[in-house]
Amino acid sequence: MRHHGLDAHIRVERGNNTEAAGERAAGHLLDAGELPTAVVAFNDQSAPRNRAGA
């Protein structure tokens, strides 16, 4: 992203490899105002689930 001049769009939410940490990180991203166009997670445990429960 930096290579393409998109530094201002990089957002990193730190946590560990647990489902709870993934939910916290997803909540921070979704509550920040501008929705992300992509999310990359460390592993399946920390990957955010749909807040509607899907």
Side-chain angles (χ1 to χ4, degrees), residues 7-46:
D7 293 43
H9 300 281
I10 297 172
R11 176 142 182 207
V12 176
E13 289 292 331
R14 301 201 188 282
N16 56 31
N17 61 345
T18 65
E19 190 172 325
E23 286 184 24
R24 274 192 306 276
H28 293 161
L29 290 172
L30 295 174
D31 294 339
E34 186 176 336
L35 294 177
T37 58
V39 174
V40 178
F42 173 73
N43 62 18
D44 289 345
Q45 297 307 120
S46 61

